Amino acid sequence: MNIAVLSTNKNLYSTKRLVEAVQSRGHHCVVIDHSKCYVGIQQGKPTIHYKGQDLSHIDAIIPRIGSSLTFYGSAIVRQFEVMGVVSANPSQAITRSRDKLRCMQILSGAGLGLPITGFARSVSDVDDLISMVGGAPLVIKLLEGTQGIGVVLAETKKAASSVIEAFYGLGNNILIQEYIKEAKGTDIRAFVVDGKVVGAMKRTAKEGEFRSNLHRGGSAEIVKLTRAEKQTAVSAAKAMGLTVAGVDMLPSARGPLILEVNSSPGLEGIETATGKDIASEIVKYLEGQYAVTQAAKTVNIKRKVKKESKL
């Protein structure tokens, strides 16, 4: 197969590992900066070009779409889909997962465990909103934040009110969530590929920090998931429509609670902690899907030939 990794930085660990995995399994691989792709839309002949070259030879793609390029990156993935190219994640699911509020609403509708979450726009609703999530301490999150950026722990109701009002004053959309004390600064990242957990790690925040993100100085170690944690991770990825997903969960007294479902989860932390070749699991999924699409094309061609021979 000709497989393209859509990434704006070919030197990132995840990008390099995916290239290695593709090549080690006997396929041709190219890294394409999706921000520099452009599309042609016409009847029956959708196209994508990159640096003046037609990309119609690409058989499958692995999207690594950054949050700042969600709209444009998803549009490029969607164009590949229209062209019949296999994608590791559907464009619609990528867009859906990037909206934290929409993600929480979908997971709630699927009956999955979540921290109690509030969303409002008016300063006059702040007191009731704080009560809704169980009072202080509580966590305040920017809807557009990533890697722990824009996440604040408010220890008191007064502090929470001040931070919320400040965010509102700056025109930011935020989520307010209950603080899960028993998690003790840890969370779990389960890496799901094609409906199976292929690796999991426990992340622990550094001293004096409540955010366990590795980008915030947290540490990671391999962890064996409980049956409930596995099922929650798989169900969350399915609800979001993601084939490849990093599902972040908090351990709690009422079971695993989902924090986020990531459509472009990093590989460095999970592969280092588990020692597993996660990148190859993604390539294996593409191989299976490509085989299915090729078989379907063969059947359609035979049907067309048979129909024409009867005319």
Side-chain angles (χ1 to χ4, degrees), residues 119-121 142-144 164 166-175:
F119 177 72
R121 193 67 189 93
L142 284 175
L143 275 181
E144 296 79 16
I164 293 170
F167 276 138
Y168 284 164
L170 293 171
N172 292 307
N173 289 314
I174 59 175
L175 292 179

Side-chain angles (χ1 to χ4, degrees), residues 216-239:
R216 305 263 70 81
S219 59
E221 60 183 307
I222 190 171
V223 66
K224 184 176 181 180
L225 300 185
T226 64
R227 179 178 295 182
E229 289 165 343
K230 281 186 180 180
Q231 187 56 54
T232 297
V234 170
S235 297
K238 182 179 180 181

Side-chain angles (χ1 to χ4, degrees), residues 171-188:
N172 292 307
N173 289 314
I174 59 175
L175 292 179
I176 294 90
Q177 288 186 330
E178 68 171 317
Y179 176 62
I180 309 301
K181 185 178 180 179
E182 59 266 34
K184 298 178 180 178
T186 68
D187 72 7
I188 294 168

